[in-house]
Amino acid sequence: MGDTRGEKTHTCGTICLKYLLFLFNILFWLAGGAVLAVGVWTLVEKSDYISLLNSSFYSASAYILIAAGLIVIVTGIIGCCATLKEMKSLLIVYLVLLLCIFLMEIIAGVLAYVTYQECFPFCYQLDEELRQNLKVTMQQKYQQEGEESITQAVDRLQQEFKCCGSQNSSDWSDSVWIQREDNVRFVPDSCCKTPSELCGRRDHPSNIYKVEGGCIMKLEEFILSQLYILGAVAIGIAFLQLVGMMFTCCLYQNLRDDPY
């Protein structure tokens, strides 16, 4: 009887399921690491824009990615342990975690898609308050004492997105810094296509960026494209998890039929 039980426990089907599920968990773990890395990168590299928008939306998105990455990594580790050790109770925990992550990803993906669709007909317009915040921030805080981080963020924004001003370059005419008596510039030097000292004295289209819609439009397009990609990836990974849940259920069934 002992030999028969051993043969049943290690049938070809069970072994294949174990290795398929183990391979899935490795990929799942790597995906979690990638999501975590993107979240950290977003928070570190793009944190300048958070202060410009005066909104928690961007930082919240980054923290959600980091949390999701950590949860996926932990879930992947649990899945590997449950698969290799053939622990039925741990397989149930793993299956429940997969199901919870699956539901969260579906919800997040649908919400991201709905938000993108609602914004699209209005030319990628975000909340008007965000637009006004960016304009006021650029006009009131640029090159002001104690606002060095804002100044660097504005310069980086204008250079990275090749734009000038919140909605257009004329926004700078109301800037506290531009209106100073000792300032000979019309726009910051970061508005120039080829930045150099005092290049902002000439605001001709051949010298500075004259983008219709200004930096707010560029920033909106960037954030909404990231939101759209995030939603599509979340839904794609969620359906991939269905395969993992199917493998888990099959392996659990085989182990339950062959108790030891």
mmCIF file of all heavy atoms in Angstrom, residues 12 22 52-53 58 62 67 71 80 90 101 113 116 120 130 140 144 187 203 216 221 238 246 248 254 256:
data_model
loop_
_atom_site.group_PDB
_atom_site.id
_atom_site.type_symbol
_atom_site.label_atom_id
_atom_site.label_comp_id
_atom_site.label_asym_id
_atom_site.label_seq_id
_atom_site.Cartn_x
_atom_site.Cartn_y
_atom_site.Cartn_z
ATOM 1 N N CYS A 12 2.919 11.707 -12.961
ATOM 2 C CA CYS A 12 3.412 12.669 -13.950
ATOM 3 C C CYS A 12 2.599 13.967 -13.912
ATOM 4 O O CYS A 12 3.148 15.058 -14.001
ATOM 5 C CB CYS A 12 3.355 12.039 -15.337
ATOM 6 S SG CYS A 12 3.974 13.112 -16.655
ATOM 7 N N PHE A 22 5.343 26.309 -9.959
ATOM 8 C CA PHE A 22 6.588 26.896 -9.448
ATOM 9 C C PHE A 22 7.132 27.920 -10.445
ATOM 10 O O PHE A 22 7.572 29.012 -10.056
ATOM 11 C CB PHE A 22 7.627 25.789 -9.214
ATOM 12 C CG PHE A 22 8.930 26.304 -8.659
ATOM 13 C CD1 PHE A 22 9.040 26.664 -7.325
ATOM 14 C CD2 PHE A 22 10.046 26.436 -9.476
ATOM 15 C CE1 PHE A 22 10.240 27.143 -6.811
ATOM 16 C CE2 PHE A 22 11.236 26.923 -8.981
ATOM 17 C CZ PHE A 22 11.339 27.277 -7.641
ATOM 18 N N LEU A 52 4.708 70.549 -7.612
ATOM 19 C CA LEU A 52 4.147 71.490 -8.580
ATOM 20 C C LEU A 52 2.634 71.362 -8.683
ATOM 21 O O LEU A 52 1.923 72.361 -8.781
ATOM 22 C CB LEU A 52 4.767 71.248 -9.969
ATOM 23 C CG LEU A 52 6.256 71.564 -10.120
ATOM 24 C CD1 LEU A 52 6.696 71.290 -11.547
ATOM 25 C CD2 LEU A 52 6.545 73.009 -9.753
ATOM 26 N N LEU A 53 2.140 70.148 -8.643
ATOM 27 C CA LEU A 53 0.702 69.936 -8.793
ATOM 28 C C LEU A 53 -0.054 70.167 -7.492
ATOM 29 O O LEU A 53 -1.267 70.342 -7.491
ATOM 30 C CB LEU A 53 0.434 68.506 -9.280
ATOM 31 C CG LEU A 53 0.867 68.198 -10.718
ATOM 32 C CD1 LEU A 53 0.674 66.733 -11.018
ATOM 33 C CD2 LEU A 53 0.083 69.046 -11.699
ATOM 34 N N TYR A 58 -0.354 61.854 -7.458
ATOM 35 C CA TYR A 58 0.848 61.258 -8.049
ATOM 36 C C TYR A 58 1.590 60.403 -7.029
ATOM 37 O O TYR A 58 1.984 59.274 -7.309
ATOM 38 C CB TYR A 58 1.749 62.373 -8.578
ATOM 39 C CG TYR A 58 2.707 61.906 -9.647
ATOM 40 C CD1 TYR A 58 2.321 61.897 -10.982
ATOM 41 C CD2 TYR A 58 3.981 61.468 -9.332
ATOM 42 C CE1 TYR A 58 3.179 61.457 -11.973
ATOM 43 C CE2 TYR A 58 4.863 61.034 -10.307
ATOM 44 C CZ TYR A 58 4.450 61.029 -11.633
ATOM 45 O OH TYR A 58 5.304 60.592 -12.599
ATOM 46 N N ALA A 62 2.247 56.159 -6.730
ATOM 47 C CA ALA A 62 3.546 55.533 -6.524
ATOM 48 C C ALA A 62 3.519 54.601 -5.319
ATOM 49 O O ALA A 62 4.040 53.478 -5.371
ATOM 50 C CB ALA A 62 4.622 56.602 -6.340
ATOM 51 N N ALA A 67 3.281 49.194 -2.700
ATOM 52 C CA ALA A 67 2.541 48.243 -1.862
ATOM 53 C C ALA A 67 2.146 47.002 -2.662
ATOM 54 O O ALA A 67 2.291 45.863 -2.181
ATOM 55 C CB ALA A 67 1.291 48.918 -1.292
ATOM 56 N N ILE A 71 3.284 43.077 -1.968
ATOM 57 C CA ILE A 71 2.278 42.028 -1.773
ATOM 58 C C ILE A 71 2.492 40.889 -2.766
ATOM 59 O O ILE A 71 2.421 39.708 -2.411
ATOM 60 C CB ILE A 71 0.860 42.609 -1.929
ATOM 61 C CG1 ILE A 71 0.550 43.568 -0.769
ATOM 62 C CG2 ILE A 71 -0.185 41.494 -1.979
ATOM 63 C CD1 ILE A 71 -0.751 44.324 -0.929
ATOM 64 N N CYS A 80 5.672 29.585 -3.879
ATOM 65 C CA CYS A 80 6.816 28.685 -4.102
ATOM 66 C C CYS A 80 6.941 27.677 -2.966
ATOM 67 O O CYS A 80 7.147 26.481 -3.201
ATOM 68 C CB CYS A 80 8.103 29.501 -4.229
ATOM 69 S SG CYS A 80 8.254 30.413 -5.780
ATOM 70 N N LEU A 90 -1.230 25.733 2.997
ATOM 71 C CA LEU A 90 -0.543 26.903 2.461
ATOM 72 C C LEU A 90 -1.002 27.198 1.037
ATOM 73 O O LEU A 90 -1.047 28.364 0.608
ATOM 74 C CB LEU A 90 0.980 26.690 2.497
ATOM 75 C CG LEU A 90 1.857 27.958 2.469
ATOM 76 C CD1 LEU A 90 1.479 28.885 3.612
ATOM 77 C CD2 LEU A 90 3.333 27.576 2.566
ATOM 78 N N ILE A 101 -5.681 39.616 -4.863
ATOM 79 C CA ILE A 101 -4.885 40.464 -5.761
ATOM 80 C C ILE A 101 -5.578 40.587 -7.112
ATOM 81 O O ILE A 101 -5.619 41.669 -7.716
ATOM 82 C CB ILE A 101 -3.463 39.897 -5.937
ATOM 83 C CG1 ILE A 101 -2.715 39.924 -4.608
ATOM 84 C CG2 ILE A 101 -2.679 40.708 -6.973
ATOM 85 C CD1 ILE A 101 -1.370 39.228 -4.657
ATOM 86 N N TYR A 113 -9.215 52.814 -16.371
ATOM 87 C CA TYR A 113 -9.767 52.921 -17.721
ATOM 88 C C TYR A 113 -10.918 53.920 -17.761
ATOM 89 O O TYR A 113 -11.007 54.743 -18.671
ATOM 90 C CB TYR A 113 -10.251 51.547 -18.182
ATOM 91 C CG TYR A 113 -10.842 51.555 -19.574
ATOM 92 C CD1 TYR A 113 -10.004 51.622 -20.701
ATOM 93 C CD2 TYR A 113 -12.214 51.503 -19.770
ATOM 94 C CE1 TYR A 113 -10.542 51.638 -21.972
ATOM 95 C CE2 TYR A 113 -12.755 51.512 -21.041
ATOM 96 C CZ TYR A 113 -11.910 51.584 -22.144
ATOM 97 O OH TYR A 113 -12.449 51.607 -23.400
ATOM 98 N N TYR A 116 -9.597 57.423 -17.516
ATOM 99 C CA TYR A 116 -8.982 57.817 -18.782
ATOM 100 C C TYR A 116 -10.050 58.174 -19.809
ATOM 101 O O TYR A 116 -9.943 59.186 -20.509
ATOM 102 C CB TYR A 116 -8.115 56.667 -19.298
ATOM 103 C CG TYR A 116 -7.466 56.950 -20.632
ATOM 104 C CD1 TYR A 116 -6.284 57.678 -20.699
ATOM 105 C CD2 TYR A 116 -8.039 56.487 -21.822
ATOM 106 C CE1 TYR A 116 -5.684 57.943 -21.921
ATOM 107 C CE2 TYR A 116 -7.449 56.752 -23.038
ATOM 108 C CZ TYR A 116 -6.275 57.476 -23.079
ATOM 109 O OH TYR A 116 -5.685 57.731 -24.287
ATOM 110 N N PHE A 120 -10.615 61.776 -21.631
ATOM 111 C CA PHE A 120 -10.268 61.855 -23.052
ATOM 112 C C PHE A 120 -11.140 62.829 -23.852
ATOM 113 O O PHE A 120 -10.615 63.643 -24.606
ATOM 114 C CB PHE A 120 -10.336 60.448 -23.663
ATOM 115 C CG PHE A 120 -9.898 60.409 -25.100
ATOM 116 C CD1 PHE A 120 -8.559 60.405 -25.416
ATOM 117 C CD2 PHE A 120 -10.826 60.390 -26.125
ATOM 118 C CE1 PHE A 120 -8.146 60.380 -26.741
ATOM 119 C CE2 PHE A 120 -10.434 60.368 -27.449
ATOM 120 C CZ PHE A 120 -9.087 60.357 -27.751
ATOM 121 N N LEU A 130 -5.987 71.788 -10.332
ATOM 122 C CA LEU A 130 -4.593 71.416 -10.573
ATOM 123 C C LEU A 130 -3.950 72.375 -11.575
ATOM 124 O O LEU A 130 -2.793 72.763 -11.429
ATOM 125 C CB LEU A 130 -4.508 69.980 -11.096
ATOM 126 C CG LEU A 130 -4.923 68.876 -10.136
ATOM 127 C CD1 LEU A 130 -4.712 67.516 -10.774
ATOM 128 C CD2 LEU A 130 -4.136 68.961 -8.837
ATOM 129 N N GLN A 140 4.313 82.461 -8.499
ATOM 130 C CA GLN A 140 4.561 82.997 -7.168
ATOM 131 C C GLN A 140 5.800 82.418 -6.481
ATOM 132 O O GLN A 140 6.393 83.076 -5.611
ATOM 133 C CB GLN A 140 3.342 82.745 -6.262
ATOM 134 C CG GLN A 140 2.053 83.364 -6.769
ATOM 135 C CD GLN A 140 2.106 84.884 -6.808
ATOM 136 O OE1 GLN A 140 2.716 85.524 -5.958
ATOM 137 N NE2 GLN A 140 1.473 85.482 -7.817
ATOM 138 N N GLN A 144 12.138 82.046 -5.856
ATOM 139 C CA GLN A 144 11.927 82.753 -4.602
ATOM 140 C C GLN A 144 12.736 82.080 -3.496
ATOM 141 O O GLN A 144 13.027 80.880 -3.548
ATOM 142 C CB GLN A 144 10.439 82.770 -4.237
ATOM 143 C CG GLN A 144 9.559 83.473 -5.249
ATOM 144 C CD GLN A 144 10.002 84.903 -5.512
ATOM 145 O OE1 GLN A 144 10.021 85.738 -4.613
ATOM 146 N NE2 GLN A 144 10.357 85.197 -6.761
ATOM 147 N N VAL A 187 11.187 85.294 -19.977
ATOM 148 C CA VAL A 187 10.865 83.934 -19.514
ATOM 149 C C VAL A 187 12.119 83.334 -18.886
ATOM 150 O O VAL A 187 13.233 83.820 -19.129
ATOM 151 C CB VAL A 187 10.391 83.035 -20.694
ATOM 152 C CG1 VAL A 187 9.065 83.521 -21.262
ATOM 153 C CG2 VAL A 187 11.458 82.943 -21.772
ATOM 154 N N ASP A 203 12.048 86.139 -26.342
ATOM 155 C CA ASP A 203 10.956 85.168 -26.290
ATOM 156 C C ASP A 203 10.350 84.870 -27.656
ATOM 157 O O ASP A 203 9.167 84.585 -27.790
ATOM 158 C CB ASP A 203 9.862 85.645 -25.327
ATOM 159 C CG ASP A 203 9.208 86.949 -25.783
ATOM 160 O OD1 ASP A 203 9.771 87.595 -26.694
ATOM 161 O OD2 ASP A 203 8.149 87.307 -25.236
ATOM 162 N N ILE A 216 1.093 72.370 -18.664
ATOM 163 C CA ILE A 216 0.024 71.609 -18.017
ATOM 164 C C ILE A 216 -0.527 70.558 -18.961
ATOM 165 O O ILE A 216 -0.835 69.435 -18.552
ATOM 166 C CB ILE A 216 -1.107 72.547 -17.525
ATOM 167 C CG1 ILE A 216 -2.118 71.771 -16.665
ATOM 168 C CG2 ILE A 216 -1.798 73.248 -18.679
ATOM 169 C CD1 ILE A 216 -1.559 71.207 -15.405
ATOM 170 N N GLU A 221 -0.951 64.870 -20.306
ATOM 171 C CA GLU A 221 -0.783 63.771 -21.259
ATOM 172 C C GLU A 221 0.113 62.686 -20.684
ATOM 173 O O GLU A 221 -0.148 61.485 -20.842
ATOM 174 C CB GLU A 221 -0.195 64.299 -22.570
ATOM 175 C CG GLU A 221 -1.171 65.120 -23.400
ATOM 176 C CD GLU A 221 -0.533 65.653 -24.661
ATOM 177 O OE1 GLU A 221 0.712 65.602 -24.765
ATOM 178 O OE2 GLU A 221 -1.276 66.127 -25.532
ATOM 179 N N ALA A 238 -3.857 40.457 -14.228
ATOM 180 C CA ALA A 238 -4.967 39.834 -13.501
ATOM 181 C C ALA A 238 -5.470 38.588 -14.225
ATOM 182 O O ALA A 238 -5.713 37.550 -13.594
ATOM 183 C CB ALA A 238 -6.108 40.843 -13.339
ATOM 184 N N MET A 246 -5.791 28.416 -11.557
ATOM 185 C CA MET A 246 -6.219 27.134 -12.114
ATOM 186 C C MET A 246 -5.209 26.041 -11.766
ATOM 187 O O MET A 246 -5.574 24.945 -11.330
ATOM 188 C CB MET A 246 -6.369 27.247 -13.634
ATOM 189 C CG MET A 246 -6.845 25.982 -14.309
ATOM 190 S SD MET A 246 -6.951 26.177 -16.105
ATOM 191 C CE MET A 246 -5.202 26.340 -16.525
ATOM 192 N N THR A 248 -3.158 26.076 -9.254
ATOM 193 C CA THR A 248 -3.215 25.868 -7.808
ATOM 194 C C THR A 248 -4.366 24.944 -7.436
ATOM 195 O O THR A 248 -4.209 24.033 -6.610
ATOM 196 C CB THR A 248 -3.378 27.218 -7.078
ATOM 197 O OG1 THR A 248 -2.320 28.104 -7.461
ATOM 198 C CG2 THR A 248 -3.333 27.026 -5.570
ATOM 199 N N ASN A 254 -5.200 17.260 -6.627
ATOM 200 C CA ASN A 254 -4.356 16.055 -6.715
ATOM 201 C C ASN A 254 -3.811 15.682 -5.348
ATOM 202 O O ASN A 254 -3.792 14.493 -4.990
ATOM 203 C CB ASN A 254 -3.194 16.304 -7.674
ATOM 204 C CG ASN A 254 -3.594 16.133 -9.121
ATOM 205 O OD1 ASN A 254 -4.768 16.236 -9.447
ATOM 206 N ND2 ASN A 254 -2.623 15.888 -9.996
ATOM 207 N N ARG A 256 -5.095 16.418 -2.440
ATOM 208 C CA ARG A 256 -6.190 16.008 -1.565
ATOM 209 C C ARG A 256 -6.630 14.577 -1.883
ATOM 210 O O ARG A 256 -6.973 13.809 -0.989
ATOM 211 C CB ARG A 256 -7.383 16.956 -1.733
ATOM 212 C CG ARG A 256 -8.426 16.781 -0.630
ATOM 213 C CD ARG A 256 -9.599 17.709 -0.829
ATOM 214 N NE ARG A 256 -10.362 17.374 -2.031
ATOM 215 C CZ ARG A 256 -11.512 17.944 -2.391
ATOM 216 N NH1 ARG A 256 -11.999 18.920 -1.634
ATOM 217 N NH2 ARG A 256 -12.134 17.590 -3.480
#
